[in-house]
Amino acid sequence: MHELSMAQAIVDTVLDAAEKNNATEVVEVTIEVGMLTMLNPEQLKFLLDVIVEDTLLENAEIIIEDVSVEIKCHGCEFTGLANTDGSDHYLTIVLCPECGERNVEILTGKECNVKTIKIEKSDEDA
Amino acid sequence: MHKVAEVEVQHDIMVANRKLARKNQRILDKDRVFSVDVVGAIGSGKTSLIEAIIDAVDYKIGVIAGDVISKYDAGRFEKHDVPVVGLNTGKECHLDAHLVEHALHDMPLKDIDVLFIENVGNLICPVDFDLGSHMRMVVISVTEGDDTVEKHPLIFQDADLVVINKVDLAEAVGADDDKMVSDVNQLNPEVQVIKTSLKTGTGFEDVIGAINAFINDN
């Protein structure tokens, strides 16, 4: 269940950024989750909703954006979006769409990035 | 009056772990310790393989034994008279660089040459967590089914050495060990794949040889 530790790391990151910017409240958090991470976005969102209780982001809207898989093929030098069947977030097979080769370098799709936060701050700090 | 502001954070949790992993590698390099992250499913034979290596080689070994709960594996290694740090991950399904860093503080790094880090039995979650080891050995066995590689491809894409264990049981469990080798090769043409049986001794010397080759290249 590594969604819980990731959720905790996300909350810590958001709180750190919020405090550095003198936020009185966090109203929105946008997280990018790569399709190739072993993270289930629904579980992640559920756990975030649980552990934000009594923090600055208690009422924040959590937005999770999927990051598609981009590859560079070592067989034919194709660079771009990988073939993924799109049916399952746990999908892990990556094939070159040009030549079907599996020996590919993964360029994007493995991230869990706290992208932006929207915060409320008092006028004196704004 | 309050005002809403958008703040760019751009903090990748995965990158944060990778940074900690690089820190672990620097700690190990300082004391010239070569480290092997041993990943594999529950019951694939990770502990037995490390135990056999400890008994077979003449370099000094230390072990970080990751378990979800209990010190069972740590206790097995202690019987081989090597330094052992047991790590309980509690609710977590993998070791991460932060946990390993703590364990490194308790390991007598100056007194060892090679550190084995036995990960929690899992082929899924450890994919996301680099520990800072110099090589990753993935151990699977025929008893888990000969579709194991196809079902968990990412762990094999990043592997430096793959061991397919318990091949003496392949016929009994109806598994095609050649298919498992071929599946790994398709995903990772560079990686060495060794079929082993600790019961018959098949392939064991090749595993030692492969690890030695990595140590010498490092």
Side-chain angles (χ1 to χ4, degrees):
Chain A
M1 178 78 135
H2 73 293
E3 279 79 5
L4 182 57
S5 59
M6 296 303 281
Q8 190 60 56
I10 289 166
V11 170
D12 290 346
T13 300
V14 172
L15 285 176
D16 186 51
E19 280 161 20
K20 277 182 184 151
N21 287 280
N22 301 319
T24 52
E25 196 187 338
V26 179
V27 291
E28 190 182 289
V29 178
T30 304
I31 305 156
E32 294 175 316
V33 176
M35 298 282 287
L36 284 184
T37 61
M38 296 297 173
L39 288 168
N40 178 333
E42 275 179 41
Q43 276 184 1
L44 188 62
K45 197 161 188 298
F46 168 76
L47 288 162
L48 282 167
D49 286 341
V50 173
I51 63 175
V52 294
E53 205 174 308
D54 297 327
T55 70
L56 278 183
L57 58 153
E58 187 168 31
N59 299 312
E61 186 187 354
I62 310 278
I63 300 166
I64 295 183
E65 296 177 350
D66 284 339
V67 179
S68 305
V69 181
E70 284 191 28
I71 56 152
K72 181 180 175 187
C73 175
H74 291 305
C76 71
E77 297 298 311
F78 167 84
T79 300
L81 281 181
N83 263 347
T84 51
D85 72 4
S87 61
D88 188 340
H89 197 83
Y90 286 119
L91 179 82
T92 51
I93 298 266
V94 177
L95 299 169
C96 173
E98 287 289 311
C99 69
E101 173 69 54
R102 287 195 191 185
N103 180 20
V104 297
E105 183 185 344
I106 293 154
L107 302 176
T108 63
K110 284 180 147 185
E111 50 282 273
C112 175
N113 184 35
V114 180
K115 189 175 155 193
T116 54
I117 57 173
K118 270 190 194 155
I119 54 170
E120 251 188 29
K121 50 212 290 187
S122 64
D123 263 355
E124 302 91 77
D125 289 321
Chain B
M1 268 301 279
H2 286 82
K3 196 171 174 176
V4 173
E6 184 164 290
V7 178
E8 282 273 320
V9 183
Q10 298 294 0
H11 179 90
D12 191 331
I13 311 293
M14 303 298 191
V15 171
N17 180 73
R18 283 198 283 275
K19 276 186 189 162
L20 278 176
R22 295 285 75 75
K23 187 179 163 196
N24 287 348
Q25 204 169 63
R26 285 196 297 276
I27 293 171
L28 292 161
D29 288 343
K30 194 170 136 274
D31 285 314
R32 303 173 65 84
V33 176
F34 182 84
S35 60
V36 187
D37 176 16
V38 185
V39 186
I42 295 166
S44 58
K46 296 182 295 298
T47 310
S48 299
L49 181 61
I50 298 169
E51 285 182 301
I53 294 170
I54 291 170
D55 291 343
V57 300
D58 54 12
Y59 39 75
K60 288 180 278 182
I61 289 179
V63 186
I64 293 175
D67 269 308
V68 174
I69 195 164
S70 89
K71 299 280 181 195
Y72 185 76
D73 282 351
R76 277 176 60 177
F77 293 123
E78 277 162 5
K79 288 183 187 149
H80 295 262
D81 208 19
V82 292
V84 181
V85 177
L87 272 184
N88 275 163
T89 58
K91 57 195 172 294
E92 294 301 330
C93 46
H94 60 276
L95 294 179
D96 63 26
H98 178 69
L99 271 171
V100 169
E101 188 196 354
H102 281 293
L104 290 180
H105 291 308
D106 296 329
M107 178 62 63
L109 295 176
K110 287 186 173 33
D111 301 330
I112 62 172
D113 305 312
V114 176
L115 175 68
F116 283 95
I117 307 170
E118 185 184 346
N119 220 309
V120 174
N122 187 339
L123 290 170
I124 304 160
C125 305
V127 169
D128 284 343
F129 296 92
D130 184 359
L131 305 180
S133 61
H134 297 89
M135 71 176 282
R136 177 175 263 188
M137 173 164 72
V138 180
V139 183
I140 55 171
S141 68
V142 296
T143 55
E144 291 142 42
D146 60 14
D147 52 2
T148 300
V149 178
E150 290 171 281
K151 285 155 70 180
H152 306 88
L154 277 192
I155 198 91
F156 297 96
Q157 278 187 323
D158 284 339
D160 298 304
L161 176 64
V162 176
V163 172
I164 296 174
N165 200 15
K166 306 187 190 179
V167 287
D168 56 301
L169 295 175
E171 205 181 325
V173 297
D176 180 350
D177 48 3
D178 286 331
K179 174 190 178 298
M180 296 171 88
V181 175
S182 144
D183 287 346
V184 176
N185 283 334
Q186 266 202 316
L187 289 163
N188 185 346
E190 308 290 320
V191 77
Q192 187 178 356
V193 188
I194 303 173
K195 291 192 213 174
T196 58
S197 160
L198 291 177
K199 206 169 170 186
T200 64
T202 305
F204 179 62
E205 288 302 321
D206 295 334
V207 174
I208 304 261
I211 293 170
N212 284 343
F214 272 99
I215 293 171
N216 292 332
D217 286 348
N218 188 56

